[in-house]
Amino acid sequence: MLRMSTPNLCGGLHCWAPWLSSGILCLCLIFLLGQVGLLQGHPQCLDYGPPFQPLLHLEFCSDYESFGCCDQHKDRRIAARYWDIMEYFDLKRHELCGDYIKDILCQECSPYAAHLYDAENPQTPLRNLPGLCSDYCSVFHSNCHSAISLLTNDRGLQESHGMDGVRFCHLLDLSDKDYCFPNVLRNNYLNRNLGMVAQDPRGCLQLCLSEVANGLRNPVSMVHAGDGTHRFFVAEQVGVVWVYLPDGSRLEQPFLDLKNIVLTTPWIGDERGFLGLAFHPKFRHNRKFYIYYSCLDKKKVEKIRISQMKVSRADPNKADLKSERVILEIEEPASNHNGGQLLFGLDGYMYIFTGDGGQAGDPFGLFGNAQNKSSLLGKVLRIDVNRAGSDGKRYRVPSDNPFVSEPGAHPAIYAYGIRNMWRCAVDRGDPITHQGRGRIFCGDVGQNRFEEVDLIVKGGNYGWRAKEGFACYDKKLCHNASLDDVLPIYAYGHAVGKSVTGGYVYRGCESPNLNGLYIFGDFMSGKIEKPRNGRSGIFAWAALRPVPSQG
Ligand SMILES: *[C@@H]1O[C@H](CO)[C@@H](O)[C@H](O)[C@H]1NC(C)=O
Ligand SMILES: *[C@@H]1O[C@H](CO)[C@@H](O)[C@H](O)[C@H]1NC(C)=O
């Protein structure tokens, strides 16, 4: 098990890669989206290097002190040039034009300098004045046109200064208006992720990984109890849960050992087993936690079972084996695609993520299980585990579940059209603004072509088996006007990875650069990706999934 963080700030997020045995590793992130994708919204300096945080305070271009393309040396050079120009100015012109000249000169320090000066387009020469937005440019021109010959030795620009400004500003126009100054500073898309990731001199992203545990057999879940003890509970697919203390040591005796009732085999590719663990939000007071595992019932029928258990009164590091209360059992028609996530939403309800029942292409029934709202397979379920329901059920269906009044639909269904959501997580929200709080992110494993990441919404249809990622899978269902599906927030093809694991939105305090990034794994690829909008990334920690589940 490894711990991941940005350089110099090792700590924070926990990930697993048990085949890497020790020490701190630094991985170079591989940009997979290619040049074209990255050029949009891609900060870069005039020397084509990545922008950076200057080591020393910038006296002059102080707007770019926290992130940009100038060190103190360059800043001083720009300041000297500014004062050279001001020599020619009387007080009145200084007042009128000083700020414009300063702003324009300081664009060399902008994290988007390469765009502002057209350095990225090999077909056009490097500009010696940055691209200016037309409103700004015409005000500048009307106030300060006599300064133009001091700012540039470009003949074309110098000669145009006597005219009405239209030609001058046309010459300073950028074909991509997003990048012109000062719009580039106001564009949220271009600015929100600035300075969020560290890069080495070659533009590579780096992360530190340090081992926090080893000797585990297919660890599939790592959770804390939310009780302030800072213990970690790590579940193995075979049905054993271990306690790790805050000092990193593991208790000798397992917290829970269900090896005898959990259904799995030692064969590679068995997707059954102990698949999920979640502590009750009020665990500290009620000692309850919930487990999700494969089992055989008395008639030898394969099922997934969701149960409630309690921690022993006598020993907080031991589950009370006699406390198990089965909450829900769902028959599994095939041994693959068993889902496995349990979590509590901010609403206090328990969310259960099931697979489509298995085989390939969701073959059961007329149009598969996932689109069939009578089936609990291929669904996100939402139940209230704090109240008993009618007819002896150990849970109640929340009255605002989306399909409670739809004839034939199971009332526990919260969202559908799911193939095999294996890992989902609740966003804790921005530590200061709380933005994003409560969102549920999931990875949904694809069939033969696309892996997807979804944001779960009430009543949402996530498309399977009509669609896989953004593409049609079952053409007839896909073109049915009633499909009305929620598209993934991200999907990638099988050249990138073949089995999405899912992950977490980082909201920790140790690596602020990672705040708001969705960091998730792919079981098969072994690659790490940072898509162009900077909101998600792929890691490949094989241990996060017991097995691949395509096909
Ligand atoms: C939907 O699922 C239910 C429960 O598994 C099943 O009885 C029914 O036949 C399915 N309907 C269709 C149209 O496949
Ligand atoms: C389209 O979907 C509706 C509702 O699910 C269903 O009644 C209808 O038979 C479907 N049509 C086709 C062509 O599958």
Side-chain angles (χ1 to χ4, degrees), residues 27 29-32 207 526-530 538-541:
L27 295 185
L29 299 200
I30 303 160
F31 285 108
L32 291 167
L207 294 170
K527 286 177 187 160
I528 296 171
E529 176 178 359
K530 178 171 170 308
I538 298 176
F539 297 119
W541 311 140

Side-chain angles (χ1 to χ4, degrees), residues 365-367 372 374-375:
L366 275 183
F367 40 76
N372 177 351
S374 308
S375 164

Side-chain angles (χ1 to χ4, degrees), residues 228-283:
T229 61
H230 301 287
R231 291 172 296 170
F232 269 116
F233 297 79
V234 177
E236 296 176 320
Q237 187 183 1
V238 286
V240 180
V241 180
W242 300 96
V243 178
Y244 284 81
L245 298 179
D247 68 2
S249 65
R250 173 167 116 180
L251 296 181
E252 247 168 65
Q253 294 300 315
F255 171 74
L256 177 63
D257 185 345
L258 292 179
K259 276 200 305 285
N260 293 335
I261 53 168
V262 167
L263 174 67
T264 188
T265 61
W267 306 114
I268 289 174
D270 198 334
E271 301 182 19
R272 300 165 301 182
F274 188 97
L275 303 176
L277 170 67
F279 286 83
H280 192 284
K282 298 205 169 90
F283 168 76

Side-chain angles (χ1 to χ4, degrees), residues 447-450 452 463-480 483 485 487:
Q447 182 67 45
N448 304 318
R449 296 175 67 202
F450 299 106
E452 63 184 71
W464 177 247
R465 77 181 188 201
K467 280 190 182 170
E468 180 188 12
F470 292 99
C472 283
Y473 180 81
D474 178 326
K475 294 218 165 58
K476 199 166 142 226
L477 289 176
C478 188
H479 293 121
N480 188 332
L483 183 66
D485 57 326
L487 294 176

Side-chain angles (χ1 to χ4, degrees), residues 52-126:
F52 54 90
Q53 175 163 30
L55 285 174
L56 299 168
H57 168 62
L58 302 189
E59 201 68 53
F60 189 67
C61 298
S62 50
D63 286 351
Y64 302 103
E65 177 165 271
S66 57
F67 192 68
C69 291
C70 288
D71 56 13
Q72 200 181 38
H73 175 75
K74 197 162 166 190
D75 184 58
R76 286 193 175 141
R77 223 188 57 220
I78 294 170
R81 227 186 124 205
Y82 172 82
W83 291 114
D84 282 350
I85 292 171
M86 288 306 131
E87 293 264 300
Y88 295 88
F89 281 22
D90 59 21
L91 194 59
K92 185 161 163 277
R93 271 174 73 213
H94 186 139
E95 269 178 18
L96 198 61
C97 297
D99 287 349
Y100 285 103
I101 307 263
K102 179 181 172 186
D103 278 347
I104 290 169
L105 291 173
C106 284
Q107 289 318 296
E108 273 188 54
C109 301
S110 165
Y112 285 106
H115 293 275
L116 283 156
Y117 291 85
D118 235 354
E120 294 223 316
N121 185 346
Q123 266 82 52
T124 56
L126 191 70

